[in-house]
């Protein structure tokens, strides 16, 4: 027979053991839960965060380690307004004291933080911002500095009261990169013709003269007769012509095309209404030279009601109102037209036989004898979409044709083991082939 108090002592010991076991299990589960949340949050947000390695044991449940800390830096203007991303051991200890997971025999408390998506930062010093200069109008911080940035930097720092005779140029900072990307090949060519809708203050004229050099020809279209002051004189070493009219007027645009049959670069920076932008591209994209460039900027007006846009509109709206009535919707449609060669699931169409496709393949708004959409697959080689700016690069299109070099083809599926490649020997053979063909790899 057991002593009288033994049963009670065993019961108390058993209860205590169960409580400790339950506390340990809850601690381990909390550890894995926090680890999963940190990993998923980091994968989704990709932003600035501090991750700590954790070590779980029966004596210290999920206490953050103060020796393994990874800090993701903040870029841009936020870097100056936030504390340094370098975390010392003392800082870590202080933070751990405030946010550590605390455990008792029966309870566990966890503190969590949220993260946000931040802009990217270049991973290599080679790609760090290479041109910074504070001006009176804008702080230029870019990793793609080009002549447009430098022009804005220099003239933006000058005193207008002392240089009011210089025409004013205003633009968006993110337009300067695409300008240079698609105009640079025309620099220092004689007789380059740049046509633009939207002269306004005339500041782009001296910029383009400096960019393209002597012999440059500018044609500006505007509704304001005051812009006629920007026409050049006989003694100038370039030409600037100004035409007054509405870019939504098809008759006026036909007159312009007849008067100026040669246009290398066309930029629509005019009234920005949906009617004006769509009418302009339908008239002037086919008119631009075969190796020319067509640009339209300020596409954000597609969402502004005052310009005929649709606030909060989306290209995938069921009623197709946004895609059919806005410039952004029009640009999205050009992507379909651009890849018409693959509509049948194979490369069956190309520029030379694009006319075999029904005029109503995409829509029948155009008359049967003028299916405008075919301009895109017939004449456009590249479409570049920037923030609020689209660029159509024209060129002679080619039939999609597969190509291959000499060599052994490995099947898609597993086909056995192969001997390791001797890359030194391979590259030597390729160099010898170029020498034998007398071709430079440039």
């Amino acid at each position: 027979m057991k002593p009288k108090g033994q049963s009670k002592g065993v019961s108390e010991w058993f209860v205590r053991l169960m409580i400790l076991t339950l506390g340990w299990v809850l601690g381990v589960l909390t550890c894995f839960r926090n680890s999963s949340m940190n990993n998923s949050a980091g994968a989704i947000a990709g932003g600035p965060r501090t991750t700590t390695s954790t070590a779980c044991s029966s004596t210290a449940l999920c206490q953050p380690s103060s020796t393994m800390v990874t800090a993701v830096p903040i870029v841009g203007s936020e870097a100056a307004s936030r504390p340094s991303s370098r975390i010392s051991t003392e800082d870590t200890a202080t933070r751990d004291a405030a946010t550590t997971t605390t455990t008792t025999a029966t309870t566990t408390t966890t503190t969590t933080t949220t993260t946000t998506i931040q802009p990217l930062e270049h991973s290599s010093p080679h790609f760090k911002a290479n041109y910074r200069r504070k001006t009176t109008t804008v702080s230029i911080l870019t990793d793609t500095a080009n002549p447009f940035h430098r022009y804005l930097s220099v003239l933006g720092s000058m005193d207008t009261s002392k240089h009011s005779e210089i025409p004013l140029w205003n633009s968006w900072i993110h337009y300067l990169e695409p300008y240079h990307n698609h105009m640079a090949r025309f620099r220092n060519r004689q007789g380059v013709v740049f046509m633009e809708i939207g002269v306004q203050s005339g500041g782009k004229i001296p910029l383009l003269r400096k960019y393209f050099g002597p012999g440059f020809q500018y044609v500006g279209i505007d509704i304001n007769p005051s812009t006629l002051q920007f026409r050049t004189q006989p003694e100038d070493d370039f030409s600037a012509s100004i035409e007054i009219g509405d870019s939504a007027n098809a008759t006026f645009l036909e007159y312009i095309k007849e008067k100026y049959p040669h246009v290398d670069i066309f930029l629509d920076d005019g009234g920005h209404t949906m009617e004006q932008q769509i009418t302009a591209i339908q008239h002037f994209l086919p008119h631009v030279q075969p190796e020319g460039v067509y640009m339209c900027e300020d596409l954000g007006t597609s969402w502004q009601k005052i310009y005929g846009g649709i606030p909060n509109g989306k290209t995938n709206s069921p009623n197709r109102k946004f895609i059919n009535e806005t410039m952004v919707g029009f640009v999205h449609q050009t992507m379909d037209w651009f890849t018409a060669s693959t509509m049948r699931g194979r490369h069956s169409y190309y520029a030379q036989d694009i006319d075999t496709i029904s005029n109503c393949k995409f829509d029948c708004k155009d008359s049967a004898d003028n299916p405008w959409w075919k301009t895109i697959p017939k004449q456009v080689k590249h479409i570049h979409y920037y923030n609020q700016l689209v660029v159509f690069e024209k060129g002679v299109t080619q039939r999609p044709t597969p190509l291959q070099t000499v060599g052994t083809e490995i099947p898609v599926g597993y086909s056995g083991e192969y001997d390791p490649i001797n890359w030194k020997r391979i590259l030597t053979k390729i160099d010898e082939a170029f020498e034998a063909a007398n071709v430079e790899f440039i």
Side-chain angles (χ1 to χ4, degrees):
M1 187 172 179
K2 295 180 181 179
K4 186 176 181 180
Q6 185 174 354
S7 175
K8 180 179 180 182
V10 171
S11 298
E12 290 179 355
W13 177 85
F14 180 76
V15 170
R16 290 179 181 179
L17 178 62
M18 291 299 294
I19 291 174
L20 289 174
T21 303
L22 179 61
W24 183 87
V25 171
L26 290 174
V28 171
L29 291 176
T30 302
C31 172
F32 283 110
R33 176 177 175 274
N34 291 343
S35 177
S36 300
M37 289 178 64
N38 286 339
N39 290 338
S40 62
I44 296 174
R49 63 192 182 279
T50 300
T51 58
T52 60
S53 65
T54 57
C56 296
S57 67
S58 59
T59 57
L61 299 177
C62 295
Q63 297 297 323
S65 170
S66 62
T67 58
M68 295 184 67
V69 179
T70 303
V72 180
I74 300 170
V75 299
S77 60
E78 290 191 329
S81 61
R82 295 200 181 188
S84 170
S85 59
R86 297 182 179 274
I87 301 179
S88 65
T89 303
E90 294 180 2
D91 293 334
T92 304
T94 302
R95 183 209 56 204
D96 289 346
T99 62
T100 184
T101 302
T102 59
T103 306
T104 65
T106 59
T107 61
T108 301
T109 304
T110 304
T111 300
T112 60
T113 58
T114 58
T115 57
T116 56
I117 298 176
Q118 297 295 331
L120 296 178
E121 181 181 65
H122 286 300
S123 58
S124 170
H126 175 72
F127 292 104
K128 295 293 185 182
N130 57 16
Y131 192 80
R132 301 185 183 200
R133 182 167 182 170
K134 179 72 176 178
T135 74
T136 56
T137 57
V138 66
S139 178
I140 295 180
L141 174 58
T142 178
D143 56 0
T144 58
N146 61 51
F148 292 99
H149 292 93
R150 298 183 181 101
Y151 187 93
L152 181 63
S153 176
V154 172
L155 271 73
S157 301
M158 298 170 64
D159 187 346
T160 299
S161 64
K162 298 179 181 179
H163 304 282
S164 59
E165 75 279 7
I166 298 178
L168 180 145
W169 173 51
N170 51 19
S171 185
W172 292 98
I173 191 69
H174 56 282
Y175 290 175
L176 310 187
E177 180 180 351
Y179 283 172
H180 186 60
N181 286 350
H182 303 283
M183 296 185 194
R185 58 191 173 93
F186 295 95
R187 298 189 74 185
N188 300 316
R189 288 190 189 179
Q190 283 293 321
V192 172
V193 180
F194 180 99
M195 182 176 285
E196 168 179 51
I197 296 177
V199 180
Q200 198 174 4
S201 302
K204 199 177 295 174
I205 298 174
L207 161 63
L208 294 175
R209 158 59 185 85
K210 191 168 181 63
Y211 184 80
F212 289 113
F216 157 69
Q217 298 181 45
Y218 175 89
V219 179
I221 300 171
D222 206 286
I223 60 173
N224 184 0
S226 297
T227 58
L228 291 171
Q229 65 177 300
F230 300 119
R231 292 178 293 187
T232 50
Q233 303 302 317
E235 62 270 18
D236 294 317
D237 66 355
F238 74 105
S239 170
S241 303
I242 306 297
E243 300 290 342
I244 305 301
D246 184 357
S247 59
N249 186 324
T251 302
F252 171 69
L253 297 185
E254 288 295 330
Y255 158 77
I256 294 296
K257 290 192 293 184
E258 183 178 351
K259 185 173 181 179
Y260 302 96
H262 184 110
V263 177
D264 295 298
I265 304 169
F266 187 97
L267 174 61
D268 183 359
D269 184 22
H272 308 317
T273 69
M274 301 304 98
E275 182 183 12
Q276 289 172 328
Q277 290 177 336
I278 294 174
T279 301
I281 191 172
Q282 289 178 332
H283 278 80
F284 285 104
L285 178 58
H287 185 68
V288 169
Q289 288 297 296
E291 291 81 25
V293 175
Y294 186 98
M295 300 184 183
C296 180
E297 60 186 49
D298 296 334
L299 297 178
T301 58
S302 287
W303 288 276
Q304 298 181 32
K305 195 171 183 179
I306 191 174
Y307 296 101
I310 302 175
N312 301 311
K314 296 185 294 184
T315 56
N316 62 350
S317 297
N319 62 10
R320 295 185 60 83
K321 184 177 178 66
F322 184 83
I323 202 165
N324 286 332
E325 297 182 11
T326 69
M327 183 60 181
V328 167
F330 187 90
V331 171
H332 276 262
Q333 292 184 75
T334 66
M335 305 295 181
D336 292 338
W337 307 334
F338 187 60
T339 55
S341 64
T342 60
M343 285 183 58
R344 292 178 176 172
R346 61 184 188 277
H347 296 295
S348 56
Y349 296 136
Y350 58 104
Q352 288 84 337
D353 64 5
I354 204 74
D355 285 328
T356 62
I357 306 177
S358 167
N359 293 341
C360 292
K361 193 67 176 179
F362 295 96
D363 62 63
C364 290
K365 290 188 298 183
D366 292 312
S367 61
D369 60 343
N370 184 29
W372 189 92
W373 69 264
K374 293 185 179 180
T375 303
I376 302 297
K378 279 186 174 184
Q379 299 186 5
V380 174
K381 291 190 72 173
H382 317 127
I383 301 176
H384 303 261
Y385 202 118
Y386 298 85
N387 185 356
Q388 294 199 56
L389 188 149
V390 65
V391 181
F392 295 87
E393 292 236 16
K394 295 182 64 174
V396 178
T397 57
Q398 295 178 319
R399 180 177 186 173
T401 304
L403 302 173
Q404 68 180 30
T405 67
V406 298
T408 302
E409 182 177 6
I410 296 179
V412 176
Y414 179 74
S415 57
E417 300 291 335
Y418 295 83
D419 293 331
I421 289 290
N422 185 330
W423 286 113
K424 184 175 181 180
R425 184 172 69 234
I426 295 299
L427 293 174
T428 299
K429 281 193 171 186
I430 293 174
D431 289 340
E432 291 173 350
F434 272 84
E435 291 178 6
N438 194 26
V439 174
E440 289 186 75
F441 189 68
I442 56 174

